[in-house]
Amino acid sequence: MILVGELVDLPPGESVRVHGDVAIAVFNVDGELYAIDDTCSHQDASLSDGWLEGCAVECPLHAACFDLKTGMPSGPPAKKPVRTHAVTVEDGVIYVHESTRVEAGAPSAPAEEVV
């Protein structure tokens, strides 16, 4: 489990970068938390620096978009998905549970509140 930080410090529409085996981007989409590998699969760009568009993030370098639920790109220039990771919130603290591999098209569950 990777400590992300306090839920109050990640408001809706924002993202944060944390480090696991690789960098991971955590996004707050209207109160739902999602985590994906932070590096665009097309080229080395930080997705946490990208733009949220609904439940997708647009890479700031070449505009590839990735679905935050599945990690799948919506089209070129990216062709490979990024890993998704489970997110939980315990007592107001966000944690990421790092995945071991890309599971193309497998949806990740939004964050669960655990008290």
Side-chain angles (χ1 to χ4, degrees), residues 4 17 24 35 49 62 88 90 97 104 107:
V4 175
R17 180 182 177 151
I24 295 172
D49 291 337
H62 293 113
T88 56
E90 298 177 19
H97 306 269

Side-chain angles (χ1 to χ4, degrees), residues 43-112:
Q43 200 165 37
D44 292 335
S46 174
L47 294 174
S48 62
D49 291 337
W51 298 276
L52 277 176
E53 297 179 4
C55 199
V57 62
E58 180 181 327
C59 176
L61 196 55
H62 293 113
C65 288
F66 294 88
D67 186 304
L68 296 176
K69 294 178 182 179
T70 65
M72 296 298 293
S74 62
K79 296 178 182 173
K80 297 179 191 173
V82 293
R83 288 187 308 166
T84 59
H85 308 278
V87 181
T88 56
V89 178
E90 298 177 19
D91 298 322
V93 178
I94 305 167
Y95 296 94
V96 170
H97 306 269
E98 192 168 9
S99 299
T100 56
R101 66 180 196 277
V102 173
E103 295 184 27
S108 63
E112 296 178 7

